[in-house]
């Protein structure tokens, strides 16, 4: 597969790039650029972070789960390319030296790359920007101090003017949704690669052969966001950081949940459509979409169909999607914001949920007139709490009504016990989340982030 991209400012053309070779392996094995480190191999530790620039801007991405064809027409900068050609250090690098931000150095290249990307974008939410980078030696305090000092310096010209090259065209990287539909109908056994934040692990961890592969990254018409009087519509290739920027205006609790959705690097790659099509029972996004009564829009060839997202998930690993059919977009009806999303995990940042609950309860003149409640981590699929909803509708919105839903939870869910939580814990916390939603709705302080001594 032919690809062309910039590497630290120099044009690279590969005519026979293997579809599932990761950038991390290629950098280290083919180019000897060993500054980019191999840590977890699944996008969790950030040691492999690199800087990628294209028409969508500057992003930090994990090289360990980034396939080479995904770089076609982009610019890549590794830690070796953060300094100027004459050796002048990037402000981030100099600040890390001055403030003793490194000890063993294994994680440092990834921190540098993530910090350079943030510096280029003017991002100063350092805790969020670096949530995807692990350090067990120096600790984060000197690194954050370095980031704050670097922020006072301008973006260097050698980073600012890193212009991507013209991409090579090839059959398995369609440039329009029409071309994608034709290619996938012709090759329905192909693996669709959007952000590869999950699919890449099939290669790095499961050692699977994904051939044939269709890459969606060049389909710009799948990257659109449309807000009308009736709907908010996200193309399947909209990444989670962009979704967060849009949805936070209309449903702030949803946006706050996405802030805890993996890390900046993962959110820069992960897509709305890929997250839904994956169908994970512990996915954080589908429960919120179910609570908002979102629609999934599917396409196969020239045929289109739409269905409520709650009906898309059938069973573990099974969705209502035919062979050769793909998720084209997701639409959310415009509505008064009643949504709260609660994510429960062992770590605040970048952790898989034990339970995630999404609640949208409509109250008119003190009576519950509608309720949409959905959970991840409670069943084999993202699932609505139908019995709980029915036990609320038509009742006064008070603590007695909330307490009376106790038995309904077991009618809706029979969760598993696993390494993240026991079945009993999951049921108890799910019940508690409804109580939290009620208390928050009547004005109580329920966020642990707002507790102070």
């Amino acid at each position: 597969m032919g690809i062309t991209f910039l590497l630290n400012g120099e044009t690279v053309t590969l005519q026979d790039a293997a579809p599932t070779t990761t950038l991390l392996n290629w950098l280290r094995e083919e180019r000897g650029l060993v500054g980019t480190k191999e840590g977890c191999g699944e996008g969790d530790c950030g040691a492999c972070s690199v800087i990628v620039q294209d028409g969508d801007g500057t992003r930090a991405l994990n090289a360990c789960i980034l396939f080479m064809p995904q770089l076609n027409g982009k610019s890549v900068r590794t830690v070796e390319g953060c300094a100027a050609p004459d050796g002048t250090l990037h402000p981030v690098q100099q600040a890390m030296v001055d403030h003793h931000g490194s000890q063993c150095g294994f994680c440092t290249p990834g921190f540098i790359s993530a910090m350079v990307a943030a510096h280029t974008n003017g991002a100063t939410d350092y805790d969020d920007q670096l949530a995807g980078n692990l350090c067990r030696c120096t600790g984060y305090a000197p690194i954050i101090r370095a980031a704050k000092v670097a922020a006072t310096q301008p973006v260097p010209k050698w980073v600012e003017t890193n212009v991507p090259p013209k991409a090579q065209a090839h059959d398995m990287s369609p440039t329009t949704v029409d071309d994608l539909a034709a290619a996938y109908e012709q090759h329905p056994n192909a693996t669709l690669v959007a952000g590869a934040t999950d699919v890449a692990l099939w290669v790095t961890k499961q050692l699977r052969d994904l051939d044939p592969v269709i890459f969606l990254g060049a389909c710009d018409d799948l990257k659109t966001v449309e807000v009308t009087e009736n709907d908010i519509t996200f193309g399947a290739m909209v990444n989670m950081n962009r979704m967060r920027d849009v949805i936070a205006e209309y449903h702030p609790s949803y946006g706050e949940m996405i802030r805890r959705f993996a890390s900046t690097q993962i959110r820069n790659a992960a897509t709305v459509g890929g997250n839904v099509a994956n169908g994970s029972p512990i996915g954080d996004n589908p429960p919120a979409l179910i609570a908002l009564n979102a629609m999934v829009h599917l396409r196969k060839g020239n045929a289109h169909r739409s269905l409520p997202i709650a009906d898309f998930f059938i069973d573990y690993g099974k969705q209502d999607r035919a062979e050769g059919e793909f998720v084209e977009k997701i639409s959310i009806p415009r509505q008064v914001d009643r949504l709260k999303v609660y994510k429960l995990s062992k770590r605040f940042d970048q952790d898989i949920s034990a339970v995630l609950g999404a609640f949208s309860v409509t109250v008119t003149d003190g009576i519950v007139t509608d309720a949409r409640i959905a959970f991840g981590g409670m069943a084999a699929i993202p699932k609505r709490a139908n019995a709980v909803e029915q036990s609320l509708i038509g009742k006064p919105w008070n603590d007695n009504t909330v307490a009376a839903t106790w038995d309904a939870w077991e009618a809706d869910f029979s969760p598993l016990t696993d390494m993240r939580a026991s079945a009993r814990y999951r049921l108890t916390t799910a019940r508690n989340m409804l109580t939290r939603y009620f208390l928050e709705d009547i004005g109580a302080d329920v966020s642990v982030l707002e507790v102070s001594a």
Side-chain angles (χ1 to χ4, degrees):
M1 185 178 291
I3 63 173
T4 300
F5 63 99
L6 289 180
L7 176 62
N8 294 331
E10 297 182 7
T11 300
V12 174
T13 298
L14 303 176
Q15 296 300 342
D16 56 352
T20 57
T21 295
T22 64
L23 174 60
L24 172 64
N25 287 342
W26 184 84
L27 288 172
R28 296 179 63 85
E29 297 171 7
E30 301 296 330
R31 285 303 173 105
L33 295 175
V34 296
T36 304
K37 302 302 183 185
E38 182 173 5
C40 65
E42 56 190 41
D44 284 339
C45 74
C48 68
S49 298
V50 295
I51 304 150
V52 176
Q53 295 174 307
D54 57 17
D56 296 326
T58 299
R59 295 169 289 162
L61 294 174
N62 293 303
C64 71
I65 52 173
L66 191 62
F67 294 137
M68 293 299 292
Q70 292 178 271
L71 304 173
N72 196 25
K74 303 181 188 299
S75 296
V76 178
R77 191 170 292 276
T78 68
V79 67
E80 291 91 347
C82 289
D86 65 2
T88 301
L89 294 181
H90 188 282
V92 162
Q93 293 173 306
Q94 189 61 57
M96 285 285 277
V97 173
D98 295 342
H99 293 272
H100 311 289
S102 176
Q103 284 188 33
C104 81
F106 191 89
C107 69
T108 305
F111 269 97
I112 294 292
S113 295
M115 293 164 73
V116 167
H119 181 268
T120 303
N121 293 325
T124 57
D125 52 338
Y126 308 115
D127 289 348
D128 288 345
Q129 295 296 320
L130 298 178
N133 295 82
L134 301 183
C135 175
R136 295 182 178 180
C137 296
T138 308
Y140 289 85
I143 296 172
I144 297 297
R145 285 196 291 269
K148 291 179 178 179
V149 169
T152 65
Q153 303 299 313
V155 176
K157 292 295 182 182
W158 64 86
V159 174
E160 190 178 60
T161 58
N162 203 24
V163 180
K166 181 178 176 62
Q168 290 193 50
H170 46 76
D171 293 340
M172 302 310 280
S173 184
T175 57
T176 68
V177 68
D178 290 339
D179 291 342
L180 166 61
Y184 198 33
E185 191 171 35
Q186 184 178 357
H187 303 280
N189 62 327
T191 299
L192 299 185
V193 177
T197 55
D198 186 57
V199 170
L201 272 65
W202 300 355
V203 174
T204 63
K205 296 301 181 182
Q206 300 176 18
L207 307 181
R208 288 166 56 179
D209 180 8
L210 304 185
D211 188 58
V213 178
I214 299 176
F215 291 90
L216 280 59
C219 294
D220 288 341
D221 49 1
L222 287 178
K223 300 177 183 177
T224 60
V225 177
E226 183 180 8
V227 180
T228 69
E229 292 182 358
N230 298 318
D231 300 284
I232 306 169
T233 302
F234 297 94
M237 284 296 293
V238 172
N239 71 49
M240 293 304 301
N241 268 331
R242 188 175 180 208
M243 184 188 191
R244 174 193 171 193
D245 290 341
V246 174
I247 205 67
E249 179 180 349
Y250 304 95
H251 301 287
S253 181
Y254 194 171
E256 178 62 14
M257 182 276 288
I258 296 177
R259 183 171 75 89
R260 296 180 58 196
F261 181 107
S263 65
T264 296
Q265 290 95 320
I266 295 295
R267 293 194 302 270
N268 279 336
T271 64
V272 177
N275 181 260
V276 169
N278 172 272
S280 170
I282 50 175
D284 289 342
N285 213 30
L289 292 171
I290 292 171
L292 290 174
N293 200 23
M295 299 289 291
V296 179
H297 304 275
L298 302 167
R299 178 169 178 178
K300 179 179 180 180
N302 293 321
H304 300 77
R305 70 184 178 104
S306 302
L307 72 160
I309 192 169
D311 298 335
F312 180 68
F313 307 105
I314 299 172
D315 201 349
Y316 181 77
K318 184 178 181 181
Q319 296 85 46
D320 185 355
R321 185 165 57 88
E323 190 176 68
E325 191 174 40
F326 62 93
V327 176
E328 185 174 16
K329 55 189 176 181
I330 305 291
S331 63
I332 300 171
R334 294 284 299 274
Q335 56 200 273
V336 174
D337 180 37
R338 295 286 298 168
L339 180 71
K340 297 296 180 184
V341 187
Y342 303 128
K343 177 180 172 73
L344 182 62
S345 57
K346 293 182 179 180
R347 297 192 310 268
F348 182 84
D349 290 308
Q350 199 187 3
D351 199 5
I352 295 173
S353 296
V355 179
L356 183 132
F359 300 80
S360 183
V361 178
T362 302
V363 180
T364 305
D365 296 328
I367 303 297
V368 177
T369 55
D370 191 25
R372 296 188 65 87
I373 300 171
F375 278 85
M378 292 285 285
I381 58 173
K383 187 174 181 292
R384 280 186 75 173
N386 291 297
V388 174
E389 293 172 1
Q390 291 305 311
S391 69
L392 291 172
I393 294 173
K395 308 289 179 54
W397 185 228
N398 58 37
D399 52 0
N400 290 330
T401 296
V402 171
T405 65
W406 184 268
D407 293 335
W409 289 96
E410 293 190 23
D412 280 322
F413 301 108
S414 299
L416 296 176
T417 294
D418 60 20
M419 62 183 293
R420 294 187 184 90
S422 68
R424 180 181 178 184
Y425 178 83
R426 285 188 160 107
L427 270 174
T428 300
T429 55
R431 289 172 170 131
N432 289 345
M433 284 180 181
L434 178 57
T435 301
R436 176 180 177 178
Y437 180 86
F438 168 71
L439 291 173
E440 188 170 5
D441 193 47
I442 63 173
D445 292 329
V446 298
S447 174
V448 295
L449 299 181
E450 298 173 0
V451 174
S452 58

